[in-house]
């Protein structure tokens, strides 16, 4: 920006004090500060817009390179697939097994469903009952009124 030293700022302040007067100087300084702030925000917005446009250009170039690479891969895959089909249809199938008595006699039985013998309604408790009893943990549901009645202090005379 503009290179202003301390001596130049002091000179500008002295001239402003003489020209404007001490009464209006704070208001003018506030107005100059707001105008400088607006100018800085405008410059920052312009820089951000330029950066965004540069990033968009870079992204477009990257997108073009990725799409061209994908098309190259797709074309090479098509070539490999067509070559494989030509090899398979032209000669004997390398994956086809020869018929033999073993292949005809052996046919594995389909798998049979077995029930996993789990009952999801039956909860398995991880904490033992004796531990819960010793620590005072709740093992059964209890209403709020019953809990208050349970822990109500007992009178001496009952």
């Amino acid at each position: 920006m503009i290179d202003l030293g301390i001596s130049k700022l002091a000179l500008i302040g002295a001239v402003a004090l003489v020209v404007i007067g001490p009464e209006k100087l704070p208001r003018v300084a506030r107005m100059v500060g707001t105008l400088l702030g607006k100018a800085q925000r405008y410059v920052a917005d312009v820089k951000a817009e330029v950066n965004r446009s540069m990033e968009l250009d870079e992204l477009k170039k990257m997108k073009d390179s990725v799409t061209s690479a994908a098309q190259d891969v797709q074309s090479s895959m098509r070539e490999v697939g067509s070559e494989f089909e030509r090899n398979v249809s032209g000669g004997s199938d390398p994956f086809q097994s020869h018929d033999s008595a073993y292949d005809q006699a052996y046919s594995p039985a389909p798998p049979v469903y077995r029930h996993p013998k789990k009952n999801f309604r039956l909860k398995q408790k991880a904490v033992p009952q004796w531990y819960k009893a010793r620590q005072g943990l709740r093992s059964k549901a209890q209403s709020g009124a019953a809990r208050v009645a349970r822990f109500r202090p007992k009178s001496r005379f009952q």
Side-chain angles (χ1 to χ4, degrees):
M1 221 168 138
I2 301 171
D3 186 25
L4 295 176
I6 294 176
S7 60
K8 290 181 183 177
L9 285 174
L11 180 66
I12 291 171
V15 170
L17 184 63
V18 170
V19 172
I20 296 172
E23 302 89 25
K24 295 183 183 179
L25 186 64
R27 193 175 355 153
V28 171
R30 201 175 315 125
M31 185 173 34
V32 167
T34 57
L35 290 175
L36 278 174
K38 286 181 182 179
Q40 286 177 348
R41 282 192 294 273
Y42 179 73
V43 168
D45 289 341
V46 168
K47 283 183 181 179
E49 187 67 31
V50 167
N51 286 338
R52 268 190 238 119
S53 65
M54 289 172 58
E55 287 175 4
L56 280 175
D57 291 340
E58 289 175 8
L59 286 175
K60 285 179 183 177
K61 290 177 185 176
M62 201 183 304
K63 178 188 169 195
D64 293 339
S65 65
V66 167
T67 53
S68 64
Q71 288 173 352
D72 292 342
V73 168
Q74 186 178 13
S75 64
S76 66
M77 290 300 288
R78 283 185 184 157
E79 290 174 6
V80 167
S82 62
E83 182 180 334
F84 179 73
E85 286 179 6
R86 274 187 268 121
N87 287 343
V88 169
S89 64
S92 64
D93 190 3
F95 299 113
Q96 186 177 12
S97 63
H98 299 288
D99 290 336
S100 67
Y102 178 75
D103 289 339
Q104 291 174 356
Y106 177 73
S107 61
V112 179
Y113 174 75
R114 290 185 314 142
H115 188 68
K117 296 182 182 177
K118 290 183 180 179
N119 189 354
F120 68 93
R121 289 184 183 92
L122 183 65
K123 300 292 183 200
Q124 299 291 326
K125 296 182 174 121
V127 180
Q129 289 294 330
W130 62 267
Y131 181 81
K132 286 184 179 180
R134 182 172 289 171
Q135 298 298 321
L137 298 174
R138 279 188 281 166
S139 60
K140 294 182 175 64
Q142 196 174 37
S143 69
R147 203 173 299 116
V148 168
R150 180 178 171 197
F151 293 107
R152 182 176 291 136
K154 307 226 187 298
S155 66
R156 288 188 214 176
F157 303 111
Q158 274 187 346

